[in-house]
Amino acid sequence: MADYTASKAALALWLTCVRREQRRKGVHVLDLRLDHVESGFADRAVIGSPPSLPRGQTVQEAANAIMEALKSEK
């Protein structure tokens, strides 16, 4: 989890910088932080067993949330 958390934090900071740098060009950067998505990925742990998580949203629900966020940015 430490590597995963560190990479998410690094990506969030990078997106913040890109957002500031590209603002004058009219580029919008959307940083979505979805809840747990039931994609089946958690069932394919490389090592060990995945942590138990509550039921997450479906892939379709996640896609709908992304589309709504994109629509509201315009």
Side-chain angles (χ1 to χ4, degrees):
M1 285 300 288
D3 293 344
Y4 174 76
T5 303
S7 66
K8 295 280 277 192
L11 177 59
L13 289 172
W14 183 79
L15 288 172
T16 298
C17 292
V18 170
R19 184 179 295 113
R20 288 180 188 149
E21 291 172 356
Q22 298 299 316
R23 187 178 327 174
R24 287 188 205 117
K25 294 180 182 177
V27 175
H28 296 270
V29 177
L30 189 61
D31 182 3
L32 291 174
R33 298 171 191 231
L34 299 172
D35 293 332
H36 172 63
V37 178
E38 291 291 338
S39 63
F41 185 69
D43 298 330
R44 299 186 298 270
V46 175
I47 298 173
S49 56
S52 61
L53 297 169
R55 186 197 172 292
Q57 60 187 331
T58 66
V59 173
Q60 186 61 55
E61 290 168 335
N64 291 343
I66 292 167
M67 293 307 295
E68 285 300 316
L70 288 170
K71 287 178 190 175
S72 69
E73 275 294 305
K74 292 184 177 183

